[in-house]
Amino acid sequence: MTASGSKTSVTDKTGRRIMVIDDDREMRDSLSHLLAKAGWRVESLADATEAGQRIAGFQPDVILSDVRMPGLSGLDLLRSLNGTDAPPVVLISAHGDIPMAVEAMQDGAYSFLEKPFDPRRLLTALRHAAEQYRLRQDTARLRARLAHLSDLDRILLGDSKPIQDLRADILDLGETDATVMLLGETGTGKELVARALHDLSPRAAGPFIALNCAALPETHFEAAMFGVSGGQNEISQPGTPQSGTLAMADGGTLFLDEIGACPLPVQAKLLRAIETREFLPVGATAPVRADFRVVSASNERLDEAVTTGKFREDLLYRLNTVVLSLPPLRERRDDIPLLYQHFVAQHAALFEIDPPDLTPEDLAALLSHDWRGNVRELRHVAERRVLAARRGRGSVAGAISLDGDSMDVPETLREAVASFERQLIAKAIQAHKGRMDAAAEALGIGRRTLNEKIVKLGLNKADLI
């Protein structure tokens, strides 16, 4: 260790970090030597005025500071660091007395020790301070991660037993790297659960890449999943590599929605990629490595597909290490009023109106409907109810029926045509489970025309499949 100048850094193999502040060079060097031998990473300063600037870069778990120093004192430093994210401060002094110790503890010091101090007592106090600080930081990160769960309330809001069990399962699996398969009907929120698993995982800082297997034509499936090493394709320029979803998911989570639609010829390559984390892009001669967690989803069990030879049994066993079943809305009817009022409040705030009252007739309509579209359908019904309420009319029964009086009647022929096209295209996409080529063929238009109309009409494919 060197001790020249006003700052000394000592690095070891442990992760604990401490900042030592003392204007006495001999004491500063002695403390740094003691702490380094005890397994700390040490940064020492002769002046407390530099501490605030260096804390962000060094990120100490604890600060050890003398009280009496020229310029900024240890007590002044303690007061300047007052905050929930600030590391704990242990103060030492050769001039300590009871009033000073009381003042230091009242100002938030973790501990106060007089010189000369027992090294074992000092090390114990510092270790405990660092452990409590790291525990507090871990708790704060977990709370932030839980608060950041995108749209999780849309599927996990409720008090029914099935939804309570699902919440518990997601929390249990969040910190693991286990491969998870999600089973549930359309609209139950499988992608939102997949995102929750990602946001709760150690991979939360990495990418979340979703691939809807049912929305890809078989001719483009392999390129979309594994990428293209070169040549010309629909996305990239000639000679430019095109990354597939596996490469893009490196360091994060790969969500394979409607995995049952994965073409049989691709399944063997996907199995190998999951097992080895290596895959060969189209046209490549050397494999590419990527580290990703796999979460898959299906709206039907794949056992029958295995029996008929449409899905590989070994791939299924690799994907269903853990299976989570998302309950349909009809199996948790007690949650329907709570979910509905939650969505109504969201949309009312968006349109800056008061939420419409829930009448007994509205409640009866909610509880008697079969909700084939599950939570997604309920959310859309709530939105239509709020849109009707802007004109002082409407009911839940009308919002449930697409032809009900809650719908805004188009005032021009152009609006009426757009409304009709929007409904017709939405039904075609739903009927063909997101397979855009099939939907375009059923509508009697080209794929490009369908894409242009989807953009023009403001349709969201993710809400339809």
Side-chain angles (χ1 to χ4, degrees), residues 1 31 92 120 142 152 164-165 174 180 201 206 209 226 268 296 323 330 378 402 405 407 452:
M1 179 188 71
L31 287 169
I92 55 176
R120 288 175 297 182
L142 177 58
L152 186 58
Q164 288 181 10
D165 292 343
V180 180
S201 75
I209 304 298
F226 302 110
S296 61
V323 177
R330 62 181 174 276
L378 179 60
L402 290 177
D405 61 1
M407 295 294 292
E452 291 173 350

Side-chain angles (χ1 to χ4, degrees), residues 6 68 85 106 137 144 155 158 174 188 196 261 289 302 326 382 418 448:
S6 63
R68 296 182 185 271
D85 295 332
Q106 287 178 341
Q137 293 291 91
I155 53 171
T188 50
R289 290 195 60 84
L302 298 176
L326 279 63
R448 177 176 294 182

Side-chain angles (χ1 to χ4, degrees), residues 94-217:
H95 313 282
D97 53 21
I98 292 178
M100 182 182 291
V102 171
E103 182 182 1
M105 300 303 287
Q106 287 178 341
D107 287 340
Y110 181 84
S111 185
F112 183 95
L113 299 174
E114 283 191 77
K115 300 176 184 177
F117 45 77
D118 180 356
R120 288 175 297 182
R121 183 184 175 197
L122 174 65
L123 291 174
T124 299
L126 294 174
R127 185 177 71 254
H128 289 169
E131 288 173 353
Q132 289 192 20
Y133 178 66
R134 286 198 170 187
L135 180 61
R136 190 167 74 242
Q137 293 291 91
D138 289 343
T139 301
R141 278 192 290 268
L142 177 58
R143 288 176 178 171
R145 193 179 293 172
L146 287 170
H148 189 260
L149 294 181
S150 176
D151 292 330
L152 186 58
D153 60 334
R154 292 186 177 183
I155 53 171
L156 296 186
L157 184 67
D159 298 319
S160 62
K161 184 64 164 56
I163 211 66
Q164 288 181 10
D165 292 343
L166 180 60
R167 278 197 296 259
D169 288 338
I170 291 174
L171 290 173
D172 287 342
L173 291 169
E175 291 295 331
T176 75
D177 217 26
T179 302
V180 180
M181 174 172 282
L182 306 174
L183 298 179
E185 297 177 3
T186 298
T188 50
K190 295 184 288 294
E191 182 169 347
L192 297 181
V193 171
R195 286 185 180 274
L197 290 170
H198 170 75
D199 289 339
L200 279 170
S201 75
R203 298 174 177 269
F208 176 86
I209 304 298
L211 177 66
N212 189 328
C213 300
L216 281 174

Side-chain angles (χ1 to χ4, degrees), residues 189-339:
K190 295 184 288 294
E191 182 169 347
L192 297 181
V193 171
R195 286 185 180 274
L197 290 170
H198 170 75
D199 289 339
L200 279 170
S201 75
R203 298 174 177 269
F208 176 86
I209 304 298
L211 177 66
N212 189 328
C213 300
L216 281 174
E218 185 171 344
T219 53
H220 298 130
F221 202 101
E222 188 172 351
M225 179 169 287
F226 302 110
V228 179
S229 66
Q232 186 173 359
N233 55 73
E234 293 183 349
I235 299 176
S236 61
Q237 296 298 320
T240 303
Q242 173 193 351
S243 295
T245 52
L246 298 188
M248 290 189 290
D250 187 25
T253 301
L254 174 65
F255 175 54
L256 300 174
D257 197 8
E258 298 304 337
I259 185 62
C262 180
L264 194 59
V266 179
Q267 292 178 25
K269 297 179 180 180
L270 175 60
L271 174 62
R272 175 174 171 76
I274 294 174
E275 289 180 338
T276 66
R277 296 301 190 266
E278 286 188 351
F279 56 92
L280 197 66
V282 176
T285 57
V288 175
R289 290 195 60 84
D291 175 41
F292 48 83
R293 180 191 192 179
V294 177
V295 178
S296 61
S298 176
N299 59 13
E300 57 186 351
R301 299 192 67 88
L302 298 176
D303 308 53
E304 184 176 345
V306 170
T307 303
T308 58
K310 294 181 179 179
F311 202 84
R312 292 180 64 103
E313 186 176 29
D314 49 3
L315 177 57
L316 175 61
Y317 290 152
R318 191 64 184 82
L319 293 172
N320 67 358
T321 302
V322 179
V323 177
L324 291 183
S325 295
L326 279 63
L329 195 53
R330 62 181 174 276
E331 292 183 5
R332 53 184 188 110
R333 290 189 178 274
D334 290 346
D335 290 335
I336 292 176
L338 177 64
L339 285 163

Side-chain angles (χ1 to χ4, degrees), residues 9-27:
S9 292
V10 179
T11 306
D12 63 31
K13 296 181 180 179
T14 69
R16 292 181 299 178
R17 299 166 180 259
I18 185 168
M19 182 174 286
V20 177
I21 308 173
D22 199 310
D23 63 327
D24 185 330
R25 178 170 178 173
E26 184 177 348
M27 175 59 69

Side-chain angles (χ1 to χ4, degrees), residues 327-379:
L329 195 53
R330 62 181 174 276
E331 292 183 5
R332 53 184 188 110
R333 290 189 178 274
D334 290 346
D335 290 335
I336 292 176
L338 177 64
L339 285 163
Y340 170 78
Q341 290 181 307
H342 173 71
F343 296 143
V344 164
Q346 283 185 333
H347 291 300
L350 179 65
F351 292 109
E352 298 181 341
I353 68 170
D354 292 330
D357 293 331
L358 182 66
T359 67
E361 292 77 15
D362 289 337
L363 183 59
L366 288 171
L367 296 178
S368 61
H369 189 57
D370 59 1
W371 299 111
R372 288 177 295 175
N374 291 291
V375 177
R376 182 184 295 155
E377 181 185 1
L378 179 60
R379 185 171 69 249

